[in-house]
Amino acid sequence: MSLYDPEKRSQKEKVPTEDGSLTLYSAEFDECYHSTRDGALRESLHKHILPAFSLSETDKEELVILDVCFGLGYNTLATLHYLQEHPIDAKVKIYSPEFDRDLVASLTDFDYPEVFAPFAEIIHRLAEQGSYRDEKVEITILFGDARATIPEIPDRIDIVYQDPFSPKKNPLLWTREYFADIRAKASKDLILTTYSSATPVRMGLYENGFLLYDTPGDEVRTGTIASLKPLDLKPVDMELKKQRNPQAASLRDGMFY
Ligand SMILES: C[S@@+](CC[C@H](N)C(=O)[O-])C[C@H]1O[C@@H](n2cnc3c(N)ncnc32)[C@H](O)[C@@H]1O
């Protein structure tokens, strides 16, 4: 039995969000692509891009980012926007799984926030051919199921924007086995950002050896930062969480297959 419903995949509606940027509602997942309360652009910047770049080692030849999943591409485009304002020496490679080809092909017509205007040509290329390359950045959309494409990524990953639909709606992208696949591809100083602070998600990360922190700042509701090495942030005490809630458990693939 599949948890997905391709018949409904094309049923989407544009929805305005709190910061004025637009997102979509998906009938297949009965959920919006972004938090309407936080705002699509603000969520992307404050839950993913700013914490990831402030906590990552960017002083290297190549910085590899996994953007799960591409959707409207806000996280990839907000990364380009950030790099325009804060250039780094490293070449940036972005891999982004996505199984909705029609959505990506339609993005040339999406009404993006003004700050993405400089990337119109890049959006065009991604919509047409699923990839873009210049001397500073390489973007590859990995068409297909993320569970199949992530293990095939040929590079060690430095940053993960963990931004699928919610664990309730898209559980296979939040299981212990899913995080194990990410861990297997991680560089030693990988930083993972996510909007979720749900205990089963944190358990899945913790059981794979990640240290956990609340997303810093108060621009958006708290999510989670996961890291393989200690960070200068207030840690989430998972041993205490387990003591207080002995039923706490990660999601497992076997619950859904
Ligand atoms: C919440 S949206 C991503 C929002 C995106 N980060 C953005 O900024 O626009 C989730 C996306 O995951 C895609 N998706 C869901 N399950 C998937 C899977 N197993 N493999 C690949 N893509 C998947 C959906 O088609 C949808 O575009």
PDB file of all heavy atoms in Angstrom, residues 16 30 56 58 73 120 130 144 158 164 166 177 211 213 239-240 252:
ATOM      1  N   PRO A  16      -2.028  32.874   0.385  1.00  0.00           N
ATOM      2  CA  PRO A  16      -1.136  33.924   0.888  1.00  0.00           C
ATOM      3  C   PRO A  16      -0.668  33.584   2.305  1.00  0.00           C
ATOM      4  O   PRO A  16      -1.400  32.931   3.056  1.00  0.00           O
ATOM      5  CB  PRO A  16      -2.026  35.181   0.910  1.00  0.00           C
ATOM      6  CG  PRO A  16      -3.426  34.688   0.857  1.00  0.00           C
ATOM      7  CD  PRO A  16      -3.436  33.283   0.324  1.00  0.00           C
ATOM      8  N   ASP A  30      -3.132  17.306   2.129  1.00  0.00           N
ATOM      9  CA  ASP A  30      -4.044  18.128   2.934  1.00  0.00           C
ATOM     10  C   ASP A  30      -3.244  19.058   3.856  1.00  0.00           C
ATOM     11  O   ASP A  30      -3.467  19.110   5.075  1.00  0.00           O
ATOM     12  CB  ASP A  30      -4.980  17.220   3.764  1.00  0.00           C
ATOM     13  CG  ASP A  30      -6.035  18.047   4.477  1.00  0.00           C
ATOM     14  OD1 ASP A  30      -6.334  19.168   4.018  1.00  0.00           O
ATOM     15  OD2 ASP A  30      -6.543  17.592   5.529  1.00  0.00           O
ATOM     16  N   SER A  56      27.413  26.656  10.265  1.00  0.00           N
ATOM     17  CA  SER A  56      28.215  25.762   9.414  1.00  0.00           C
ATOM     18  C   SER A  56      29.609  26.309   9.142  1.00  0.00           C
ATOM     19  O   SER A  56      29.817  27.516   9.125  1.00  0.00           O
ATOM     20  CB  SER A  56      27.535  25.577   8.054  1.00  0.00           C
ATOM     21  OG  SER A  56      26.374  24.837   8.199  1.00  0.00           O
ATOM     22  N   THR A  58      31.900  27.290   6.553  1.00  0.00           N
ATOM     23  CA  THR A  58      31.785  27.589   5.118  1.00  0.00           C
ATOM     24  C   THR A  58      33.162  27.788   4.500  1.00  0.00           C
ATOM     25  O   THR A  58      33.288  28.034   3.304  1.00  0.00           O
ATOM     26  CB  THR A  58      30.919  28.837   4.868  1.00  0.00           C
ATOM     27  OG1 THR A  58      31.473  29.912   5.609  1.00  0.00           O
ATOM     28  CG2 THR A  58      29.484  28.605   5.296  1.00  0.00           C
ATOM     29  N   GLY A  73      10.704  25.555  -4.107  1.00  0.00           N
ATOM     30  CA  GLY A  73      12.112  25.958  -4.195  1.00  0.00           C
ATOM     31  C   GLY A  73      12.489  27.122  -3.294  1.00  0.00           C
ATOM     32  O   GLY A  73      13.569  27.699  -3.435  1.00  0.00           O
ATOM     33  N   ALA A 120      15.392  34.693 -11.763  1.00  0.00           N
ATOM     34  CA  ALA A 120      14.384  34.272 -12.757  1.00  0.00           C
ATOM     35  C   ALA A 120      14.978  33.278 -13.757  1.00  0.00           C
ATOM     36  O   ALA A 120      14.351  32.269 -14.105  1.00  0.00           O
ATOM     37  CB  ALA A 120      13.823  35.494 -13.465  1.00  0.00           C
ATOM     38  N   GLY A 130      15.633  20.814 -14.735  1.00  0.00           N
ATOM     39  CA  GLY A 130      15.839  20.211 -13.413  1.00  0.00           C
ATOM     40  C   GLY A 130      17.229  20.423 -12.848  1.00  0.00           C
ATOM     41  O   GLY A 130      17.557  19.851 -11.798  1.00  0.00           O
ATOM     42  N   GLY A 144      12.103  11.903  -8.382  1.00  0.00           N
ATOM     43  CA  GLY A 144      11.822  10.551  -7.908  1.00  0.00           C
ATOM     44  C   GLY A 144      11.582  10.588  -6.405  1.00  0.00           C
ATOM     45  O   GLY A 144      11.530  11.675  -5.804  1.00  0.00           O
ATOM     46  N   ASP A 158      26.828  18.671   3.902  1.00  0.00           N
ATOM     47  CA  ASP A 158      27.182  19.582   5.003  1.00  0.00           C
ATOM     48  C   ASP A 158      25.957  20.191   5.678  1.00  0.00           C
ATOM     49  O   ASP A 158      25.988  20.492   6.867  1.00  0.00           O
ATOM     50  CB  ASP A 158      28.062  20.724   4.472  1.00  0.00           C
ATOM     51  CG  ASP A 158      29.347  20.200   3.864  1.00  0.00           C
ATOM     52  OD1 ASP A 158      30.095  19.532   4.599  1.00  0.00           O
ATOM     53  OD2 ASP A 158      29.586  20.414   2.658  1.00  0.00           O
ATOM     54  N   PRO A 164      10.062  18.487   4.604  1.00  0.00           N
ATOM     55  CA  PRO A 164       8.948  17.817   3.903  1.00  0.00           C
ATOM     56  C   PRO A 164       7.614  18.224   4.524  1.00  0.00           C
ATOM     57  O   PRO A 164       7.585  18.989   5.494  1.00  0.00           O
ATOM     58  CB  PRO A 164       9.194  16.325   4.180  1.00  0.00           C
ATOM     59  CG  PRO A 164      10.467  16.215   4.924  1.00  0.00           C
ATOM     60  CD  PRO A 164      10.759  17.559   5.506  1.00  0.00           C
ATOM     61  N   SER A 166       4.431  17.452   6.969  1.00  0.00           N
ATOM     62  CA  SER A 166       4.612  17.105   8.386  1.00  0.00           C
ATOM     63  C   SER A 166       4.746  15.586   8.610  1.00  0.00           C
ATOM     64  O   SER A 166       4.330  14.782   7.769  1.00  0.00           O
ATOM     65  CB  SER A 166       3.407  17.617   9.176  1.00  0.00           C
ATOM     66  OG  SER A 166       2.267  16.875   8.780  1.00  0.00           O
ATOM     67  N   GLU A 177      14.948   5.199  10.006  1.00  0.00           N
ATOM     68  CA  GLU A 177      15.700   4.662   8.866  1.00  0.00           C
ATOM     69  C   GLU A 177      16.021   5.772   7.855  1.00  0.00           C
ATOM     70  O   GLU A 177      17.097   5.783   7.250  1.00  0.00           O
ATOM     71  CB  GLU A 177      14.903   3.546   8.184  1.00  0.00           C
ATOM     72  CG  GLU A 177      14.727   2.290   9.032  1.00  0.00           C
ATOM     73  CD  GLU A 177      13.610   2.377  10.084  1.00  0.00           C
ATOM     74  OE1 GLU A 177      12.897   3.401  10.114  1.00  0.00           O
ATOM     75  OE2 GLU A 177      13.484   1.430  10.883  1.00  0.00           O
ATOM     76  N   LEU A 211      23.137  15.323  17.985  1.00  0.00           N
ATOM     77  CA  LEU A 211      22.873  16.176  19.148  1.00  0.00           C
ATOM     78  C   LEU A 211      21.802  17.169  18.723  1.00  0.00           C
ATOM     79  O   LEU A 211      21.798  17.610  17.562  1.00  0.00           O
ATOM     80  CB  LEU A 211      24.151  16.922  19.551  1.00  0.00           C
ATOM     81  CG  LEU A 211      25.337  16.018  19.868  1.00  0.00           C
ATOM     82  CD1 LEU A 211      26.620  16.833  19.979  1.00  0.00           C
ATOM     83  CD2 LEU A 211      25.065  15.248  21.155  1.00  0.00           C
ATOM     84  N   TYR A 213      19.188  20.639  19.319  1.00  0.00           N
ATOM     85  CA  TYR A 213      19.062  21.988  19.882  1.00  0.00           C
ATOM     86  C   TYR A 213      17.765  22.601  19.369  1.00  0.00           C
ATOM     87  O   TYR A 213      17.299  22.274  18.275  1.00  0.00           O
ATOM     88  CB  TYR A 213      20.237  22.866  19.412  1.00  0.00           C
ATOM     89  CG  TYR A 213      21.579  22.258  19.751  1.00  0.00           C
ATOM     90  CD1 TYR A 213      22.192  21.344  18.878  1.00  0.00           C
ATOM     91  CD2 TYR A 213      22.213  22.550  20.946  1.00  0.00           C
ATOM     92  CE1 TYR A 213      23.402  20.751  19.202  1.00  0.00           C
ATOM     93  CE2 TYR A 213      23.423  21.958  21.284  1.00  0.00           C
ATOM     94  CZ  TYR A 213      24.013  21.063  20.405  1.00  0.00           C
ATOM     95  OH  TYR A 213      25.197  20.467  20.732  1.00  0.00           O
ATOM     96  N   GLU A 239      17.881  12.440  27.061  1.00  0.00           N
ATOM     97  CA  GLU A 239      17.832  11.400  28.107  1.00  0.00           C
ATOM     98  C   GLU A 239      16.751  11.759  29.122  1.00  0.00           C
ATOM     99  O   GLU A 239      15.975  10.903  29.545  1.00  0.00           O
ATOM    100  CB  GLU A 239      19.199  11.243  28.781  1.00  0.00           C
ATOM    101  CG  GLU A 239      20.221  10.529  27.899  1.00  0.00           C
ATOM    102  CD  GLU A 239      19.719   9.160  27.406  1.00  0.00           C
ATOM    103  OE1 GLU A 239      19.143   8.394  28.190  1.00  0.00           O
ATOM    104  OE2 GLU A 239      19.903   8.865  26.202  1.00  0.00           O
ATOM    105  N   LEU A 240      16.666  13.045  29.460  1.00  0.00           N
ATOM    106  CA  LEU A 240      15.629  13.493  30.398  1.00  0.00           C
ATOM    107  C   LEU A 240      14.239  13.315  29.778  1.00  0.00           C
ATOM    108  O   LEU A 240      13.305  12.854  30.425  1.00  0.00           O
ATOM    109  CB  LEU A 240      15.872  14.977  30.739  1.00  0.00           C
ATOM    110  CG  LEU A 240      14.955  15.589  31.782  1.00  0.00           C
ATOM    111  CD1 LEU A 240      15.153  14.898  33.137  1.00  0.00           C
ATOM    112  CD2 LEU A 240      15.224  17.093  31.923  1.00  0.00           C
ATOM    113  N   ARG A 252       9.170   4.522  12.613  1.00  0.00           N
ATOM    114  CA  ARG A 252       9.948   3.470  11.969  1.00  0.00           C
ATOM    115  C   ARG A 252       9.311   3.132  10.628  1.00  0.00           C
ATOM    116  O   ARG A 252       8.075   3.122  10.516  1.00  0.00           O
ATOM    117  CB  ARG A 252       9.971   2.199  12.850  1.00  0.00           C
ATOM    118  CG  ARG A 252      10.466   2.416  14.274  1.00  0.00           C
ATOM    119  CD  ARG A 252      11.919   2.865  14.288  1.00  0.00           C
ATOM    120  NE  ARG A 252      12.764   1.927  13.607  1.00  0.00           N
ATOM    121  CZ  ARG A 252      13.418   0.909  14.192  1.00  0.00           C
ATOM    122  NH1 ARG A 252      13.328   0.728  15.486  1.00  0.00           N
ATOM    123  NH2 ARG A 252      14.163   0.102  13.483  1.00  0.00           N
TER     124      ARG A 252
END
